[in-house]
Amino acid sequence: MTVNEKKVKLSIEGDQEALLFLLKQEKEKLYRTAYSYVRNQADALDVFQQTVLLAIESIHQLREPKYFSTWLMKICINVSLGVLQKQKKVISMDDLKFQSLSTEIATSDEKMDLLDAIYRLDEKCKTVLLLKYYEDLTFEQIAEILGEPIGTVKSNGKRALAKIKKTLKGVYIDERTKPI
């Protein structure tokens, strides 16, 4: 059993200091995930706070200490989706500060087109892409977080990439160029 798993076990048993230690370790990842969904700082902070509150209130329900990080990420995603659904607001593409998926894209126009293509995806495909390439999670971890079979997660990821490729085809992807 790892040190973190021991701290999770203590948290489940009621040790608040152990839980705070674990939450501090996860705070940056939770904020990045929240921000990748709600796309503004104020809402991301609200999602983060709600996630922490829900984690504190329901830590006793966690059955397996080794899944703490996955459990916490699932709470964050669900809260983020709830905030988006509740607000039903249109988000300006100018507010996006998305970095990880676009590190190889040269110009800001290309970045904006890529981001636009990503945010036009349905929630399942977008979630898989964000978790895979923004949070650098494996398909196995994503399957755990989403509670779906790994095959479904891989299919959603492949479908998402195909949709993005189709959207950008002819604009940035030269249809005549064959891969080397």
Side-chain angles (χ1 to χ4, degrees):
M1 184 177 275
T2 67
V3 172
N4 277 355
E5 287 178 15
K6 289 177 185 176
K7 293 232 182 237
V8 173
K9 192 169 180 157
L10 289 171
S11 298
I12 292 170
E13 294 169 357
D15 186 334
Q16 299 249 335
E17 286 183 35
L19 180 57
L20 291 176
F21 173 83
L22 293 165
L23 290 171
K24 283 180 183 177
Q25 283 187 319
E26 299 285 332
K27 71 181 178 183
E28 288 180 30
K29 185 167 66 169
L30 291 172
Y31 177 80
R32 278 193 320 264
T33 300
Y35 190 88
S36 69
Y37 277 89
V38 297
R39 293 166 276 185
N40 75 62
Q41 187 177 11
D43 288 342
L45 288 171
D46 286 344
V47 168
F48 174 76
Q49 289 175 342
Q50 288 178 39
T51 300
V52 169
L53 278 173
L54 285 170
I56 291 169
E57 291 172 354
S58 59
I59 185 67
H60 64 279
Q61 295 174 347
L62 180 63
R63 293 185 185 125
E64 288 289 328
K66 66 182 179 181
Y67 295 122
F68 174 76
S69 187
T70 301
W71 171 78
L72 198 56
M73 184 64 67
K74 189 171 187 172
I75 292 172
C76 184
I77 290 169
N78 288 336
V79 171
S80 297
L81 292 173
V83 166
L84 287 176
Q85 188 175 26
K86 190 176 185 181
Q87 293 177 348
K88 298 257 186 199
K89 65 181 181 181
V90 177
I91 297 170
S92 167
M93 292 304 291
D94 294 333
D95 292 337
L96 295 176
K97 293 177 184 161
F98 197 86
Q99 298 167 1
S100 295
L101 283 178
S102 57
T103 54
E104 296 180 16
I105 307 296
T107 69
S108 62
D109 287 343
E110 291 172 337
K111 288 179 185 177
M112 296 308 287
D113 288 341
L114 175 60
L115 291 171
D116 186 44
I118 290 168
Y119 287 108
R120 288 181 186 208
L121 295 171
D122 62 80
E123 286 301 322
K124 286 184 180 184
C125 290
K126 180 170 49 175
T127 297
V128 171
L129 270 188
L130 290 174
L131 292 176
K132 177 72 176 157
Y133 297 104
Y134 190 66
E135 292 299 330
D136 201 29
L137 298 177
T138 65
F139 284 120
E140 291 82 9
Q141 291 169 319
I142 297 168
E144 285 177 31
I145 289 170
L146 300 178
E148 293 182 357
I150 191 165
T152 302
V153 171
K154 286 181 177 179
S155 294
N156 286 337
K158 190 172 183 177
R159 187 177 313 112
L161 290 174
K163 286 179 181 179
I164 289 174
K165 185 176 179 180
K166 183 178 179 182
T167 301
L168 298 177
K169 194 172 193 172
V171 178
Y172 297 106
I173 301 171
D174 188 355
E175 298 173 26
R176 296 166 290 167
T177 306
K178 293 184 181 178
I180 298 173

